[in-house]
PDB file of all heavy atoms in Angstrom:
ATOM      1  N   CYS A   1       0.868  -1.164  -0.037  1.00  0.00           N
ATOM      2  CA  CYS A   1       0.080   0.054   0.039  1.00  0.00           C
ATOM      3  C   CYS A   1       0.871   1.315   0.032  1.00  0.00           C
ATOM      4  O   CYS A   1       2.126   1.113   0.194  1.00  0.00           O
ATOM      5  CB  CYS A   1      -0.902  -0.025   1.192  1.00  0.00           C
ATOM      6  SG  CYS A   1      -0.081  -0.013   2.798  1.00  0.00           S
ATOM      7  N   GLU A   2       0.318   2.408  -0.279  1.00  0.00           N
ATOM      8  CA  GLU A   2       1.051   3.642  -0.076  1.00  0.00           C
ATOM      9  C   GLU A   2       1.506   3.879   1.496  1.00  0.00           C
ATOM     10  O   GLU A   2       2.608   4.030   1.684  1.00  0.00           O
ATOM     11  CB  GLU A   2       0.232   4.759  -0.596  1.00  0.00           C
ATOM     12  CG  GLU A   2       1.130   5.979  -0.665  1.00  0.00           C
ATOM     13  CD  GLU A   2       0.368   7.156  -1.302  1.00  0.00           C
ATOM     14  OE1 GLU A   2       0.125   7.085  -2.573  1.00  0.00           O
ATOM     15  OE2 GLU A   2       0.123   8.210  -0.738  1.00  0.00           O
ATOM     16  N   GLN A   3       0.455   3.692   2.277  1.00  0.00           N
ATOM     17  CA  GLN A   3       0.814   3.912   3.653  1.00  0.00           C
ATOM     18  C   GLN A   3      -0.080   3.094   4.501  1.00  0.00           C
ATOM     19  O   GLN A   3      -1.207   2.701   4.082  1.00  0.00           O
ATOM     20  CB  GLN A   3       0.764   5.370   4.236  1.00  0.00           C
ATOM     21  CG  GLN A   3       1.814   6.145   3.638  1.00  0.00           C
ATOM     22  CD  GLN A   3       1.741   7.587   4.304  1.00  0.00           C
ATOM     23  OE1 GLN A   3       0.909   8.427   3.812  1.00  0.00           O
ATOM     24  NE2 GLN A   3       2.666   7.993   5.018  1.00  0.00           N
ATOM     25  N   TRP A   4       0.233   2.823   5.747  1.00  0.00           N
ATOM     26  CA  TRP A   4      -0.606   2.125   6.837  1.00  0.00           C
ATOM     27  C   TRP A   4      -1.385   3.080   7.709  1.00  0.00           C
ATOM     28  O   TRP A   4      -0.790   4.085   8.178  1.00  0.00           O
ATOM     29  CB  TRP A   4       0.277   1.224   7.696  1.00  0.00           C
ATOM     30  CG  TRP A   4      -0.396   0.316   8.696  1.00  0.00           C
ATOM     31  CD1 TRP A   4      -0.566   0.817  10.011  1.00  0.00           C
ATOM     32  CD2 TRP A   4      -1.267  -0.670   8.454  1.00  0.00           C
ATOM     33  NE1 TRP A   4      -1.341  -0.226  10.658  1.00  0.00           N
ATOM     34  CE2 TRP A   4      -1.785  -1.218   9.687  1.00  0.00           C
ATOM     35  CE3 TRP A   4      -1.490  -1.513   7.369  1.00  0.00           C
ATOM     36  CZ2 TRP A   4      -2.530  -2.264   9.906  1.00  0.00           C
ATOM     37  CZ3 TRP A   4      -2.239  -2.643   7.466  1.00  0.00           C
ATOM     38  CH2 TRP A   4      -2.763  -2.960   8.734  1.00  0.00           C
ATOM     39  N   ASN A   5      -2.663   2.863   7.936  1.00  0.00           N
ATOM     40  CA  ASN A   5      -3.417   3.684   8.781  1.00  0.00           C
ATOM     41  C   ASN A   5      -3.603   3.041  10.163  1.00  0.00           C
ATOM     42  O   ASN A   5      -4.181   1.969  10.264  1.00  0.00           O
ATOM     43  CB  ASN A   5      -4.818   3.898   8.106  1.00  0.00           C
ATOM     44  CG  ASN A   5      -5.774   4.778   8.893  1.00  0.00           C
ATOM     45  OD1 ASN A   5      -5.741   4.725  10.117  1.00  0.00           O
ATOM     46  ND2 ASN A   5      -6.705   5.433   8.238  1.00  0.00           N
ATOM     47  N   ASN A   6      -2.869   3.704  11.165  1.00  0.00           N
ATOM     48  CA  ASN A   6      -2.852   3.067  12.480  1.00  0.00           C
ATOM     49  C   ASN A   6      -4.202   3.102  13.086  1.00  0.00           C
ATOM     50  O   ASN A   6      -4.493   2.132  13.899  1.00  0.00           O
ATOM     51  CB  ASN A   6      -1.921   3.891  13.319  1.00  0.00           C
ATOM     52  CG  ASN A   6      -0.613   3.214  13.221  1.00  0.00           C
ATOM     53  OD1 ASN A   6      -0.274   2.307  12.647  1.00  0.00           O
ATOM     54  ND2 ASN A   6       0.313   3.892  14.040  1.00  0.00           N
ATOM     55  N   LEU A   7      -5.101   4.109  12.863  1.00  0.00           N
ATOM     56  CA  LEU A   7      -6.308   4.183  13.422  1.00  0.00           C
ATOM     57  C   LEU A   7      -7.353   3.140  12.981  1.00  0.00           C
ATOM     58  O   LEU A   7      -7.950   2.348  13.799  1.00  0.00           O
ATOM     59  CB  LEU A   7      -6.986   5.535  13.382  1.00  0.00           C
ATOM     60  CG  LEU A   7      -6.252   6.662  14.065  1.00  0.00           C
ATOM     61  CD1 LEU A   7      -6.966   8.047  13.796  1.00  0.00           C
ATOM     62  CD2 LEU A   7      -6.200   6.428  15.568  1.00  0.00           C
ATOM     63  N   ALA A   8      -7.231   2.858  11.748  1.00  0.00           N
ATOM     64  CA  ALA A   8      -8.165   2.030  11.098  1.00  0.00           C
ATOM     65  C   ALA A   8      -7.632   0.551  11.000  1.00  0.00           C
ATOM     66  O   ALA A   8      -8.269  -0.517  10.716  1.00  0.00           O
ATOM     67  CB  ALA A   8      -8.691   2.367   9.698  1.00  0.00           C
ATOM     68  N   GLU A   9      -6.177   0.533  11.286  1.00  0.00           N
ATOM     69  CA  GLU A   9      -5.537  -0.718  11.195  1.00  0.00           C
ATOM     70  C   GLU A   9      -5.807  -1.466   9.776  1.00  0.00           C
ATOM     71  O   GLU A   9      -5.764  -2.675   9.585  1.00  0.00           O
ATOM     72  CB  GLU A   9      -5.857  -1.733  12.240  1.00  0.00           C
ATOM     73  CG  GLU A   9      -5.593  -1.149  13.674  1.00  0.00           C
ATOM     74  CD  GLU A   9      -6.068  -2.184  14.679  1.00  0.00           C
ATOM     75  OE1 GLU A   9      -5.798  -3.270  14.605  1.00  0.00           O
ATOM     76  OE2 GLU A   9      -6.759  -1.617  15.692  1.00  0.00           O
ATOM     77  N   THR A  10      -5.557  -0.508   8.815  1.00  0.00           N
ATOM     78  CA  THR A  10      -5.696  -1.075   7.397  1.00  0.00           C
ATOM     79  C   THR A  10      -4.722  -0.272   6.399  1.00  0.00           C
ATOM     80  O   THR A  10      -4.389   0.825   6.772  1.00  0.00           O
ATOM     81  CB  THR A  10      -7.305  -0.834   6.941  1.00  0.00           C
ATOM     82  OG1 THR A  10      -7.480   0.668   6.968  1.00  0.00           O
ATOM     83  CG2 THR A  10      -8.210  -1.621   7.673  1.00  0.00           C
ATOM     84  N   PRO A  11      -4.601  -0.872   5.208  1.00  0.00           N
ATOM     85  CA  PRO A  11      -3.794  -0.172   4.303  1.00  0.00           C
ATOM     86  C   PRO A  11      -4.462   1.071   3.629  1.00  0.00           C
ATOM     87  O   PRO A  11      -5.739   0.968   3.481  1.00  0.00           O
ATOM     88  CB  PRO A  11      -3.405  -1.217   3.212  1.00  0.00           C
ATOM     89  CG  PRO A  11      -4.088  -2.459   3.600  1.00  0.00           C
ATOM     90  CD  PRO A  11      -4.918  -2.085   4.820  1.00  0.00           C
ATOM     91  N   MET A  12      -3.718   2.040   3.376  1.00  0.00           N
ATOM     92  CA  MET A  12      -4.241   3.268   2.651  1.00  0.00           C
ATOM     93  C   MET A  12      -3.707   3.146   1.250  1.00  0.00           C
ATOM     94  O   MET A  12      -2.484   2.925   1.019  1.00  0.00           O
ATOM     95  CB  MET A  12      -3.813   4.414   3.208  1.00  0.00           C
ATOM     96  CG  MET A  12      -4.422   4.796   4.734  1.00  0.00           C
ATOM     97  SD  MET A  12      -3.697   6.243   5.620  1.00  0.00           S
ATOM     98  CE  MET A  12      -3.765   7.398   4.220  1.00  0.00           C
ATOM     99  N   THR A  13      -4.687   3.353   0.276  1.00  0.00           N
ATOM    100  CA  THR A  13      -4.079   3.233  -1.084  1.00  0.00           C
ATOM    101  C   THR A  13      -3.461   1.946  -1.435  1.00  0.00           C
ATOM    102  O   THR A  13      -2.199   1.940  -1.581  1.00  0.00           O
ATOM    103  CB  THR A  13      -3.273   4.510  -1.564  1.00  0.00           C
ATOM    104  OG1 THR A  13      -3.969   5.679  -1.076  1.00  0.00           O
ATOM    105  CG2 THR A  13      -3.221   4.534  -2.999  1.00  0.00           C
ATOM    106  N   PRO A  14      -4.235   0.826  -1.510  1.00  0.00           N
ATOM    107  CA  PRO A  14      -3.572  -0.537  -1.817  1.00  0.00           C
ATOM    108  C   PRO A  14      -2.770  -0.453  -3.059  1.00  0.00           C
ATOM    109  O   PRO A  14      -3.280   0.351  -4.141  1.00  0.00           O
ATOM    110  CB  PRO A  14      -4.767  -1.360  -1.905  1.00  0.00           C
ATOM    111  CG  PRO A  14      -5.753  -0.737  -0.985  1.00  0.00           C
ATOM    112  CD  PRO A  14      -5.674   0.586  -1.319  1.00  0.00           C
ATOM    113  N   LEU A  15      -1.789  -1.169  -3.270  1.00  0.00           N
ATOM    114  CA  LEU A  15      -1.003  -1.260  -4.358  1.00  0.00           C
ATOM    115  C   LEU A  15      -0.782  -2.687  -4.841  1.00  0.00           C
ATOM    116  O   LEU A  15      -0.706  -3.674  -4.028  1.00  0.00           O
ATOM    117  CB  LEU A  15       0.435  -0.675  -4.175  1.00  0.00           C
ATOM    118  CG  LEU A  15       0.558   0.638  -3.734  1.00  0.00           C
ATOM    119  CD1 LEU A  15       1.984   1.149  -3.238  1.00  0.00           C
ATOM    120  CD2 LEU A  15       0.160   1.720  -4.803  1.00  0.00           C
ATOM    121  N   THR A  16      -0.626  -2.986  -6.066  1.00  0.00           N
ATOM    122  CA  THR A  16      -0.427  -4.451  -6.587  1.00  0.00           C
ATOM    123  C   THR A  16       1.172  -4.561  -6.309  1.00  0.00           C
ATOM    124  O   THR A  16       1.908  -3.600  -6.087  1.00  0.00           O
ATOM    125  CB  THR A  16      -0.620  -4.532  -8.032  1.00  0.00           C
ATOM    126  OG1 THR A  16       0.219  -3.763  -8.780  1.00  0.00           O
ATOM    127  CG2 THR A  16      -2.001  -4.218  -8.383  1.00  0.00           C
ATOM    128  N   PRO A  17       1.591  -5.745  -6.211  1.00  0.00           N
ATOM    129  CA  PRO A  17       3.100  -5.985  -6.199  1.00  0.00           C
ATOM    130  C   PRO A  17       3.839  -5.266  -7.212  1.00  0.00           C
ATOM    131  O   PRO A  17       4.966  -4.712  -6.936  1.00  0.00           O
ATOM    132  CB  PRO A  17       3.246  -7.415  -6.326  1.00  0.00           C
ATOM    133  CG  PRO A  17       1.989  -7.976  -5.760  1.00  0.00           C
ATOM    134  CD  PRO A  17       0.893  -7.085  -6.125  1.00  0.00           C
ATOM    135  N   ASP A  18       3.273  -5.233  -8.529  1.00  0.00           N
ATOM    136  CA  ASP A  18       3.973  -4.505  -9.555  1.00  0.00           C
ATOM    137  C   ASP A  18       4.102  -3.003  -9.422  1.00  0.00           C
ATOM    138  O   ASP A  18       5.219  -2.363  -9.598  1.00  0.00           O
ATOM    139  CB  ASP A  18       3.412  -4.841 -10.956  1.00  0.00           C
ATOM    140  CG  ASP A  18       3.523  -6.272 -11.445  1.00  0.00           C
ATOM    141  OD1 ASP A  18       4.520  -6.877 -10.910  1.00  0.00           O
ATOM    142  OD2 ASP A  18       2.862  -6.625 -12.331  1.00  0.00           O
ATOM    143  N   GLN A  19       3.005  -2.424  -8.853  1.00  0.00           N
ATOM    144  CA  GLN A  19       2.899  -1.065  -8.451  1.00  0.00           C
ATOM    145  C   GLN A  19       4.015  -0.658  -7.440  1.00  0.00           C
ATOM    146  O   GLN A  19       4.796   0.287  -7.441  1.00  0.00           O
ATOM    147  CB  GLN A  19       1.511  -0.568  -8.083  1.00  0.00           C
ATOM    148  CG  GLN A  19       0.678  -0.596  -9.196  1.00  0.00           C
ATOM    149  CD  GLN A  19      -0.876  -0.293  -8.661  1.00  0.00           C
ATOM    150  OE1 GLN A  19      -1.277  -0.866  -7.684  1.00  0.00           O
ATOM    151  NE2 GLN A  19      -1.499   0.393  -9.485  1.00  0.00           N
ATOM    152  N   ALA A  20       4.058  -1.630  -6.304  1.00  0.00           N
ATOM    153  CA  ALA A  20       4.959  -1.310  -5.292  1.00  0.00           C
ATOM    154  C   ALA A  20       6.365  -1.451  -5.733  1.00  0.00           C
ATOM    155  O   ALA A  20       7.254  -0.660  -5.391  1.00  0.00           O
ATOM    156  CB  ALA A  20       4.691  -2.369  -4.060  1.00  0.00           C
ATOM    157  N   GLN A  21       6.570  -2.497  -6.480  1.00  0.00           N
ATOM    158  CA  GLN A  21       7.944  -2.563  -7.154  1.00  0.00           C
ATOM    159  C   GLN A  21       8.413  -1.411  -7.990  1.00  0.00           C
ATOM    160  O   GLN A  21       9.602  -1.038  -7.871  1.00  0.00           O
ATOM    161  CB  GLN A  21       7.987  -3.878  -7.955  1.00  0.00           C
ATOM    162  CG  GLN A  21       9.424  -4.300  -8.424  1.00  0.00           C
ATOM    163  CD  GLN A  21       9.640  -5.613  -8.962  1.00  0.00           C
ATOM    164  OE1 GLN A  21       8.584  -6.274  -9.266  1.00  0.00           O
ATOM    165  NE2 GLN A  21      10.765  -6.077  -9.067  1.00  0.00           N
ATOM    166  N   ALA A  22       7.511  -0.869  -8.776  1.00  0.00           N
ATOM    167  CA  ALA A  22       7.846   0.241  -9.448  1.00  0.00           C
ATOM    168  C   ALA A  22       8.086   1.482  -8.512  1.00  0.00           C
ATOM    169  O   ALA A  22       9.108   2.260  -8.780  1.00  0.00           O
ATOM    170  CB  ALA A  22       6.634   0.641 -10.422  1.00  0.00           C
ATOM    171  N   ARG A  23       7.376   1.625  -7.405  1.00  0.00           N
ATOM    172  CA  ARG A  23       7.852   2.605  -6.496  1.00  0.00           C
ATOM    173  C   ARG A  23       9.097   2.440  -5.757  1.00  0.00           C
ATOM    174  O   ARG A  23       9.768   3.333  -5.525  1.00  0.00           O
ATOM    175  CB  ARG A  23       6.589   2.777  -5.343  1.00  0.00           C
ATOM    176  CG  ARG A  23       5.322   3.376  -5.897  1.00  0.00           C
ATOM    177  CD  ARG A  23       4.267   3.359  -4.859  1.00  0.00           C
ATOM    178  NE  ARG A  23       3.089   4.018  -5.289  1.00  0.00           N
ATOM    179  CZ  ARG A  23       2.622   5.143  -4.662  1.00  0.00           C
ATOM    180  NH1 ARG A  23       3.258   5.677  -3.634  1.00  0.00           N
ATOM    181  NH2 ARG A  23       1.542   5.729  -5.263  1.00  0.00           N
ATOM    182  N   HIS A  24       9.423   1.265  -5.559  1.00  0.00           N
ATOM    183  CA  HIS A  24      10.684   0.772  -4.942  1.00  0.00           C
ATOM    184  C   HIS A  24      11.798   1.324  -5.840  1.00  0.00           C
ATOM    185  O   HIS A  24      12.666   1.930  -5.498  1.00  0.00           O
ATOM    186  CB  HIS A  24      10.749  -0.683  -4.727  1.00  0.00           C
ATOM    187  CG  HIS A  24      11.990  -1.201  -4.000  1.00  0.00           C
ATOM    188  ND1 HIS A  24      12.134  -1.194  -2.704  1.00  0.00           N
ATOM    189  CD2 HIS A  24      13.271  -1.500  -4.522  1.00  0.00           C
ATOM    190  CE1 HIS A  24      13.359  -1.683  -2.303  1.00  0.00           C
ATOM    191  NE2 HIS A  24      14.104  -1.790  -3.478  1.00  0.00           N
ATOM    192  N   ALA A  25      11.581   1.092  -7.182  1.00  0.00           N
ATOM    193  CA  ALA A  25      12.636   1.222  -8.152  1.00  0.00           C
ATOM    194  C   ALA A  25      12.723   2.815  -8.286  1.00  0.00           C
ATOM    195  O   ALA A  25      13.901   3.302  -8.492  1.00  0.00           O
ATOM    196  CB  ALA A  25      12.360   0.603  -9.486  1.00  0.00           C
ATOM    197  N   SER A  26      11.752   3.517  -8.302  1.00  0.00           N
ATOM    198  CA  SER A  26      11.746   5.050  -8.559  1.00  0.00           C
ATOM    199  C   SER A  26      11.989   5.930  -7.173  1.00  0.00           C
ATOM    200  O   SER A  26      12.330   7.067  -7.215  1.00  0.00           O
ATOM    201  CB  SER A  26      10.336   5.404  -9.127  1.00  0.00           C
ATOM    202  OG  SER A  26       9.386   5.329  -8.087  1.00  0.00           O
ATOM    203  N   GLY A  27      12.041   5.194  -6.053  1.00  0.00           N
ATOM    204  CA  GLY A  27      12.263   5.777  -4.845  1.00  0.00           C
ATOM    205  C   GLY A  27      10.993   6.391  -4.225  1.00  0.00           C
ATOM    206  O   GLY A  27      11.080   7.053  -3.170  1.00  0.00           O
ATOM    207  N   ASP A  28       9.821   6.189  -4.693  1.00  0.00           N
ATOM    208  CA  ASP A  28       8.572   6.595  -4.230  1.00  0.00           C
ATOM    209  C   ASP A  28       8.143   5.888  -3.049  1.00  0.00           C
ATOM    210  O   ASP A  28       8.425   4.805  -2.771  1.00  0.00           O
ATOM    211  CB  ASP A  28       7.538   6.765  -5.324  1.00  0.00           C
ATOM    212  CG  ASP A  28       7.774   7.657  -6.272  1.00  0.00           C
ATOM    213  OD1 ASP A  28       8.458   8.675  -6.141  1.00  0.00           O
ATOM    214  OD2 ASP A  28       7.207   7.606  -7.499  1.00  0.00           O
ATOM    215  N   LEU A  29       7.422   6.522  -2.131  1.00  0.00           N
ATOM    216  CA  LEU A  29       6.789   6.006  -0.907  1.00  0.00           C
ATOM    217  C   LEU A  29       6.005   4.775  -1.146  1.00  0.00           C
ATOM    218  O   LEU A  29       5.108   4.741  -2.068  1.00  0.00           O
ATOM    219  CB  LEU A  29       6.073   6.887  -0.005  1.00  0.00           C
ATOM    220  CG  LEU A  29       5.511   6.453   1.254  1.00  0.00           C
ATOM    221  CD1 LEU A  29       6.321   5.999   2.163  1.00  0.00           C
ATOM    222  CD2 LEU A  29       4.484   7.519   1.680  1.00  0.00           C
ATOM    223  N   TYR A  30       6.135   3.678  -0.495  1.00  0.00           N
ATOM    224  CA  TYR A  30       5.309   2.484  -0.479  1.00  0.00           C
ATOM    225  C   TYR A  30       5.532   1.818   0.875  1.00  0.00           C
ATOM    226  O   TYR A  30       6.549   2.016   1.583  1.00  0.00           O
ATOM    227  CB  TYR A  30       5.499   1.569  -1.645  1.00  0.00           C
ATOM    228  CG  TYR A  30       6.759   0.651  -1.467  1.00  0.00           C
ATOM    229  CD1 TYR A  30       6.617  -0.693  -1.026  1.00  0.00           C
ATOM    230  CD2 TYR A  30       7.948   1.064  -1.856  1.00  0.00           C
ATOM    231  CE1 TYR A  30       7.685  -1.539  -0.962  1.00  0.00           C
ATOM    232  CE2 TYR A  30       9.048   0.258  -1.770  1.00  0.00           C
ATOM    233  CZ  TYR A  30       8.925  -1.022  -1.325  1.00  0.00           C
ATOM    234  OH  TYR A  30      10.030  -1.876  -1.203  1.00  0.00           O
ATOM    235  N   THR A  31       4.480   0.988   1.285  1.00  0.00           N
ATOM    236  CA  THR A  31       4.684   0.225   2.584  1.00  0.00           C
ATOM    237  C   THR A  31       4.319  -1.271   2.279  1.00  0.00           C
ATOM    238  O   THR A  31       3.415  -1.525   1.487  1.00  0.00           O
ATOM    239  CB  THR A  31       3.664   0.768   3.567  1.00  0.00           C
ATOM    240  OG1 THR A  31       3.873   2.142   3.710  1.00  0.00           O
ATOM    241  CG2 THR A  31       3.701   0.016   4.798  1.00  0.00           C
ATOM    242  N   ALA A  32       5.173  -2.122   2.735  1.00  0.00           N
ATOM    243  CA  ALA A  32       4.884  -3.589   2.696  1.00  0.00           C
ATOM    244  C   ALA A  32       4.525  -3.984   4.089  1.00  0.00           C
ATOM    245  O   ALA A  32       5.115  -3.694   4.987  1.00  0.00           O
ATOM    246  CB  ALA A  32       6.233  -4.306   2.282  1.00  0.00           C
ATOM    247  N   VAL A  33       3.370  -4.722   4.074  1.00  0.00           N
ATOM    248  CA  VAL A  33       2.728  -5.157   5.379  1.00  0.00           C
ATOM    249  C   VAL A  33       2.729  -6.701   5.381  1.00  0.00           C
ATOM    250  O   VAL A  33       2.387  -7.365   4.516  1.00  0.00           O
ATOM    251  CB  VAL A  33       1.320  -4.678   5.519  1.00  0.00           C
ATOM    252  CG1 VAL A  33       0.697  -5.076   6.843  1.00  0.00           C
ATOM    253  CG2 VAL A  33       1.216  -3.097   5.375  1.00  0.00           C
ATOM    254  N   ALA A  34       3.377  -7.202   6.530  1.00  0.00           N
ATOM    255  CA  ALA A  34       3.495  -8.641   6.578  1.00  0.00           C
ATOM    256  C   ALA A  34       2.437  -9.189   7.499  1.00  0.00           C
ATOM    257  O   ALA A  34       2.299  -8.639   8.705  1.00  0.00           O
ATOM    258  CB  ALA A  34       4.928  -9.045   7.078  1.00  0.00           C
TER     259      ALA A  34
END
């Protein structure tokens, strides 16, 4: 996701693995939740 929402305990702006990987490569913010 883009970020984690602590209050709702849910992801904000979910991302596909491909979208997150693109953000990783470009340096843009993303969050991986285990």
